[in-house]
Amino acid sequence: MTSLAFTKTGDGPPLVLLHGIGGSRAAWRPVLDRLAATHTVYAVDLPGHGDSPGPGGAPRHLAQAVSAALDERGIDVPHVAGNSLGGWVAVELAALRPVASLTLLSPAGFWQRAQPAYCTVVLLGIRLGCRFAGRPLAALCRWAWGRRLVFRQVCARPELLSPDDARRSITAMGRCPGFRDTFRAVRPLRCEPAAGLTVPVTVAFGDADRILLARQSRFTGGLPAHTRHLPLPGAGHVPMSDDPGLIARTVLVTTGAVAR
């Protein structure tokens, strides 16, 4: 058993949700109820993240662990949605096994060569802040202005995060045992989608994403020609709390659960 931590909810075709580096499955809480209305939703903690054991690693390694966990649960051809690193892992998962659709929300890895220095500095700053100043940062999150201050790099409207979700995010990033291995493995790589991907694919970046800048990290030409490219107005890098209705609709249109 891979023992990856899952949250399962809802009923319908399976939908797997993958979070970003240093995060956890709790990042999807703002949209879980909307997605669970039409799908059996499996929100996953990647290896070395959240409640999942093991080291982190490259996106292909993480995807292999997720694939093994899906096999253990008898999940054959799931829809998959991923945010940031989770989007990259979703692409790698589609290269390993059949999937029904891919929704990539601000996916990482679509830089020209290696991870831009800007991304490296920003992510390290977030990690170090959460690790060494987690307690005062969490205390600030009891107020809307505090959440705006702490999460302005990550979310477009941090005040919409609940205080509890904000504190969970800080704790997950600060304590993430797989961050170092994953961060080191990712830096020299880029996302290379497999040829022949025919399932529905949507890629969407928040127009207020302050981590994956358009001129550095959005070279998505390697995705299939039928890919839908969407903006996410008023959304940041982790967009689920910025506009839960928009994010859920983006996923459900891709899965076919709602009409375009």
Side-chain angles (χ1 to χ4, degrees):
M1 294 286 287
T2 62
S3 301
L4 293 188
F6 277 68
T7 294
K8 178 183 177 183
T9 185
D11 187 41
L15 168 61
V16 175
L17 305 178
L18 305 173
H19 61 78
I21 188 169
S24 75
R25 65 193 191 276
W28 292 95
R29 283 167 53 89
V31 297
L32 275 184
D33 287 347
R34 289 174 168 87
L35 299 178
T38 52
H39 290 277
T40 302
V41 179
Y42 299 87
V44 185
D45 279 345
L46 294 173
H49 291 70
D51 296 322
S52 289
R60 176 57 63 95
H61 164 77
L62 303 179
Q64 288 168 342
V66 173
S67 183
L70 295 178
D71 287 340
E72 291 169 1
R73 290 161 176 79
I75 304 169
D76 294 326
V77 188
H79 299 278
V80 184
N83 170 230
S84 192
L85 173 66
W88 190 346
V89 175
V91 172
E92 296 287 352
L93 188 65
L96 295 174
R97 62 182 297 130
V99 299
S101 72
L102 290 176
T103 307
L104 313 177
L105 303 173
S106 294
F110 288 99
W111 30 73
Q112 286 186 306
R113 288 175 291 276
Q115 178 175 283
Y118 171 81
C119 293
T120 300
V121 171
V122 169
L123 288 173
L124 279 178
I126 293 171
R127 162 69 168 179
L128 293 174
C130 291
R131 185 173 183 184
F132 296 109
R135 186 169 295 180
L137 292 178
L140 286 173
C141 290
R142 72 183 70 178
W143 301 288
W145 65 264
R147 297 194 294 280
R148 286 195 294 269
L149 178 66
V150 174
F151 285 90
R152 65 189 184 89
Q153 194 78 39
V154 177
C155 302
R157 297 193 285 174
E159 67 276 7
L160 298 183
L161 273 171
S162 74
D164 284 344
D165 283 345
R167 286 189 284 266
R168 286 189 191 96
S169 181
I170 292 168
T171 299
M173 177 63 82
R175 296 180 179 175
C176 178
F179 182 92
R180 182 178 179 182
D181 289 340
T182 303
F183 189 72
R184 286 183 170 181
V186 162
R187 285 184 63 192
L189 304 176
R190 70 184 305 273
C191 187
E192 302 281 359
L197 188 62
T198 59
V199 300
V201 180
T202 297
V203 60
F205 288 93
D207 64 3
D209 189 332
R210 300 183 181 95
I211 296 180
L212 299 180
L213 304 183
R215 64 181 181 273
Q216 295 180 345
S217 303
R218 304 188 192 182
F219 296 94
T220 57
L223 290 169
H226 65 267
T227 299
R228 285 196 315 146
H229 296 261
L230 298 178
L232 296 174
H237 181 64
V238 181
M240 285 77 85
S241 63
D242 288 327
D243 191 336
L246 172 63
I247 301 308
R249 198 159 54 246
T250 299
V251 175
L252 295 177
V253 168
T254 309
T255 68
V258 300
R260 291 193 182 185

